């Protein structure tokens, strides 16, 4: 090749490398490489932070109707005419905050009950319940909550939800510490049960509890008091669970003066809700509560449970104190 040819070729290459078309190709190539890096990095992040339910939960009944999917990050429970299914946490907790994302049975779920709850063992057990009562297509689920202490419940509060709990996953949480129990839905408090032992009301404080979940048939009571039965032609029914979080729960001494690091955390030392949380609680209970045992005078005809009149009793005590001071 002659010198002239070499120079002409070099000139051609220089023109090609500085042309707009060539620059566009380089930009596209760079963007492609960056996209691949971001994609691989994101996937690495998701794998590193995936919540593997199968590491924290055991499927305990259902003969194969409960199964882990997506490498253990998703748990499906199935109910058919033969059986439901359920699971429990590997660990027990004495106080804590636990969270679970749940997508409920879609369509005609009448007669079915999906649960997420804490419970201890024995005949005088403690229990903190989320129970989702199915309904016929088009009618809303009822969220049923209850608190058992020493084997005694009868503290039901029920709510409609302000969204469709079957369309996507929603977060349900239980906070349990020495001062109170709070039920949350998507971070919003819907119910508070205070420690009123000073007034003679039993409070769960000494029995460690496991977390449980289940899907089962309760058509003898779940939908309209048992008037609407499970339509098995709609089955099998499936509820899904994911992103279980028990990082803020542990088995620790019930004495709040314990040297455990847990006693210094926010959830453990919380004695009540702040003003903004209380406003949300009032909003939920005003708009969405459909049953409150503390208002059921027909059921408790001999007198409402002590905790139902706690505010009134405290006001009367303060009035009496002020009278005594003045006199």
């Amino acid at each position: 090749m002659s010198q002239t040819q070499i120079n002409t070729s070099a000139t051609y290459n220089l023109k090609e490398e500085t042309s707009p078309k060539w620059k566009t190709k380089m930009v596209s190539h760079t963007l492609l490489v960056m996209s691949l890096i971001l994609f691989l990095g994101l996937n690495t992040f998701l794998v590193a932070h995936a919540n593997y339910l199968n590491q924290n939960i055991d499927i305990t009944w259902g003969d194969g109707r409960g199964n882990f999917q997506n490498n253990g990050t998703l748990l499906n429970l199935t109910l058919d005419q033969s059986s439901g299914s359920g699971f429990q946490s590997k660990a027990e907790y004495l106080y804590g905050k636990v969270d679970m994302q749940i997508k409920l049975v879609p369509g005609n779920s009448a007669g079915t009950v999906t649960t997420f709850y804490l419970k201890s063992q024995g005949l005088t057990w403690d229990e903190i319940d989320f129970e989702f009562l199915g309904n016929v297509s088009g009618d809303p689920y009822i969220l049923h909550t209850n608190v058992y202490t020493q084997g005694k419940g009868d503290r039901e509060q029920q709510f409609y939800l302000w969204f469709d709990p079957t369309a996507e996953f929603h977060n349900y949480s239980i906070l349990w510490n020495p001062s109170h129990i709070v039920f949350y839905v998507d971070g919003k408090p819907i119910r508070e049960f205070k420690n009123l032992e000073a007034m003679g009301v039993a409070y769960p404080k000494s029995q460690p509890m496991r977390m449980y979940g289940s899907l089962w048939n309760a058509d003898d009571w779940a939908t309209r008091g048992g008037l609407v039965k499970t339509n098995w032609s709609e089955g099998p029914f499936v509820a899904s669970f994911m992103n279980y979080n028990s990082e803020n729960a542990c088995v620790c001494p019930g004495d709040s003066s314990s040297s455990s690091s847990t006693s210094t955390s926010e959830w453990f030392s919380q004695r009540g809700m702040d003003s903004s949380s209380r406003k949300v609680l009032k909003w939920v209970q005003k708009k969405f509560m459909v049953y409150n045992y503390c208002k059921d005078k027909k059921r408790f005809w001999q007198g409402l449970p002590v905790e139902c009149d706690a505010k009134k009793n405290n006001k009367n005590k303060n009035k009496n104190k002020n009278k005594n001071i003045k006199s």
Side-chain angles (χ1 to χ4, degrees), residues 13-69:
N13 290 336
L14 180 62
K15 287 179 180 178
E16 186 184 54
E17 289 176 3
T18 55
S19 69
K21 187 176 180 181
W22 184 87
K23 286 181 179 179
T24 302
K25 286 181 179 178
M26 284 299 294
V27 170
S28 299
H29 178 74
T30 303
L31 289 173
L32 178 62
V33 171
M34 290 176 67
S35 297
L36 285 170
I37 291 170
L38 287 171
F39 176 77
L40 292 171
L42 178 61
N43 275 276
T44 302
F45 175 84
L46 289 173
V47 169
H49 291 78
N51 191 319
Y52 294 100
L53 273 72
N54 56 356
Q55 294 180 1
N56 300 302
I57 288 171
D58 292 321
I59 297 171
T60 50
W61 63 281
D63 293 328
R65 291 174 179 81
N67 59 84
F68 294 107
Q69 297 185 359

Side-chain angles (χ1 to χ4, degrees), residues 11 160 204 217 219 225 238 240 254 276 278 327:
T11 302
Y160 287 142
N217 178 45
D219 64 5
V238 179
S240 301
S276 61
R278 194 154 292 285
S327 60

Side-chain angles (χ1 to χ4, degrees), residues 96-98 116-118 128 130 172-176 181-182:
K97 185 174 184 290
V98 295
F116 168 57
Y117 60 103
L118 296 172
I128 306 168
F130 272 115
Y172 304 92
S173 310
I174 296 169
L175 183 149
W176 166 42
I181 294 165
V182 185

Side-chain angles (χ1 to χ4, degrees), residues 204-302:
K205 64 176 184 178
S206 59
Q207 300 188 77
M209 300 195 228
R210 290 188 192 275
M211 182 278 297
Y212 295 86
S214 62
L215 173 60
W216 53 290
N217 178 45
D219 64 5
D220 57 331
W221 66 272
T223 306
R224 293 182 59 197
L227 294 177
V228 182
K229 302 299 182 182
T230 304
N231 183 352
W232 294 110
S233 67
E234 301 280 346
F237 305 97
V238 179
S240 301
F241 300 75
M242 65 185 295
N243 288 333
Y244 175 55
N245 182 6
S246 60
E247 290 181 3
N248 292 314
C250 71
V251 176
C252 55
D255 184 357
S256 60
S257 64
S258 165
S259 60
S260 167
S261 60
T262 306
S263 63
T264 62
S265 65
E266 183 182 350
W267 68 263
F268 188 88
S269 58
Q270 186 183 112
R271 294 186 176 277
M273 289 186 287
D274 58 28
S275 58
S276 61
S277 296
R278 194 154 292 285
K279 283 181 182 177
V280 174
L281 177 73
K282 287 181 179 179
W283 172 78
V284 171
Q285 294 191 345
K286 181 179 179 181
K287 296 286 187 180
F288 302 102
M289 181 182 281
V290 294
Y291 177 79
N292 183 1
Y293 76 109
C294 280
K295 303 292 185 182
D296 197 342
K297 293 184 178 179
K298 185 176 180 181
R299 177 184 176 190
F300 298 103
W301 59 273
Q302 291 182 316

Side-chain angles (χ1 to χ4, degrees), residues 4 109 115 124 154 170 222 261 269 324:
T4 304
S109 58
T115 69
T124 55
D154 299 331
H170 289 270
S261 60
S269 58
N324 291 333

